[in-house]
Amino acid sequence: MRSAHTVDQVRAAESELMARLPDGALMQRAAAGLAYAVLDLLGSAYGRRVLLLVGSGDNGGDALYAGALLARRGVQVEAWLLSERAHPGGVAALRAAGGRTIAGDPRRPDLVVDGIVGIGGQGGLRDDAVAALATVEGVPVVAVDTPSGVGVDTGELDGPHVTAALTVTFGTHKVAHLVDPAAAASGVVHLVDIGLELPPAPVESLQPEDVAALLPRPHGEVQKYQRGVVGVRAGSARYPGAALLSVAGASSGLCGMVRYVGDESVADRVRQAHPEVVGAGQVQAWVVGSGGGDHAGEELHAALADGVPVVVDADALAHVDGSLPVPAVLTPHAGELARMLGVERAAIEARPLEHARHAAATYRCVVLLKGRHTLVVTPEGLVRVTTTGTPWLATAGAGDVLGGLVGALLAGGLTPYDAASVGSWLHGAAATLASDGGPLVAGDVARSIPAAVRSLPRA
């Protein structure tokens, strides 16, 4: 599990560790990890130029001590001090190693190290930092801990900020590394272990081993009904493709049976495409809404009457006006969540974590907010972030496949939180396999779900 902790959690853990270590030892650990990451990115040391942008916080100290290590390896290091309160020990170490401190007019570097603002910074960058960054525009940036100017605990962007090619963070991931839009500004994130002992994290990201451990797998003499039966109420005469794609996601083999209930003309097409799918009967979970049109509300009402868990998607989301009587997963994209909460779409995209948590608490169910980094949120505010996938996954019908997949996992016995987060992870992994670096359509994603499962480590 990739865990992302809050600033307060990290600071408490650092304070506890520093009480047991010699003065400055923790910063030296961080600086060494940063320096080696910079060297790896540069590819060589002698003759390369690195510019440190240094503020007044501990991140500036990390950058300065890393700069001293780089200078001793033959890198030409300049430190642009943006504050008179730059870490004095770090400044002395850099100068002793042959590095230079400047107050502007840097030589064009091969790489910039962002040590402007620490994890406790608030709001966007000050004008002097913005001006300094403008002088090295186009040069790759390595951020220390988090890109300066981002909302570390929120993942939000509130003003000018650093956009990093690489972020080197210490002890644990921070929320900004996983949650967009700040995650997109973090680039590749490299974690340096500095020995922190941390409590459970409020934000997590499943890894392949976690998915393998959670995934329902058949054992022994299990029968198809014991593996779960999922029902799909999706599509309409106007949108038959939604039914086909929802069923495709549901019938990827992760539960024992799929039932389709809907317009008879659509049902005929479903049976032709998926002869293993059967009609009405008892189910352990429902998937409702994709392409349902004017009948989506009726279909949601019928599904809720069965008293089993339900995935509410697309057109059915418009008919959710309060907490539901059964365990549920709501699967909106930003526009749908904006309508549900009565805000602008831009507000959802600027603060997805805040709004997904608000929706989960309001509707008392799991909310799966689709996006580049999909968020799965419980009513209590726990979060899993999906980082699998590819930009090619932004294609019509992909969400229909996802809804069916999550429904199959619900029917297979997973909780709504696990079904949504495992389903989202597999959906992204299947898309990456199907894409192989090129374009895809939603049906390709459904067909690649078994391959994504086979790629998992054995639990």
Side-chain angles (χ1 to χ4, degrees), residues 35-133:
Y36 284 117
V38 168
L39 283 171
D40 187 58
L41 188 59
L42 285 172
S44 61
Y46 284 99
R48 306 306 295 273
R49 290 181 176 175
V50 170
L51 174 67
L52 315 177
L53 296 179
V54 180
S56 59
D58 285 346
N59 280 19
D62 296 336
L64 288 163
Y65 280 114
L69 292 170
L70 293 171
R72 286 198 288 270
R73 293 289 295 270
V75 179
Q76 299 177 38
V77 181
E78 289 185 331
W80 186 341
L81 305 184
L82 299 173
S83 169
E84 295 178 354
R85 293 180 291 114
H87 194 283
V91 170
L94 176 67
R95 288 172 174 164
R100 299 174 59 231
T101 58
I102 61 174
D105 194 25
R107 293 174 293 183
R108 187 73 174 175
D110 298 301
L111 186 146
V112 173
V113 175
D114 160 31
I116 302 170
V117 178
I119 60 174
Q122 301 290 327
L125 293 174
R126 297 190 319 237
D127 290 345
D128 60 340
V130 174
L133 286 165

Side-chain angles (χ1 to χ4, degrees), residues 20 128 211 239-240 279 302 307 342 359 381 396-397 405 414 417 426:
R20 306 196 304 266
D128 60 340
V211 176
Y239 301 111
L405 172 56
L414 293 189
Y417 189 41
L426 285 174

Side-chain angles (χ1 to χ4, degrees), residues 130-233:
V130 174
L133 286 165
T135 67
V136 288
E137 185 176 357
V139 178
V141 177
V142 175
V144 181
D145 223 353
T146 57
S148 293
V150 306
V152 178
D153 281 347
T154 65
E156 297 169 12
L157 301 177
D158 185 19
H161 60 86
V162 168
T163 298
L166 171 70
T167 295
V168 180
T169 194
F170 312 113
T172 179
H173 289 81
K174 283 68 179 180
V175 176
H177 299 143
L178 298 180
V179 174
D180 279 336
S186 298
V188 176
V189 180
H190 174 68
L191 177 63
V192 176
D193 183 2
I194 56 174
L196 299 185
E197 296 179 6
L198 292 151
V203 176
E204 300 173 332
S205 177
L206 295 182
Q207 301 304 296
E209 296 79 9
D210 307 310
V211 176
L214 290 168
L215 192 71
R217 294 180 183 270
H219 297 284
E221 299 298 321
V222 67
Q223 298 177 353
K224 60 188 176 186
Y225 296 109
Q226 294 172 310
R227 292 189 59 211
V229 180
V230 63
V232 177
R233 293 176 176 271

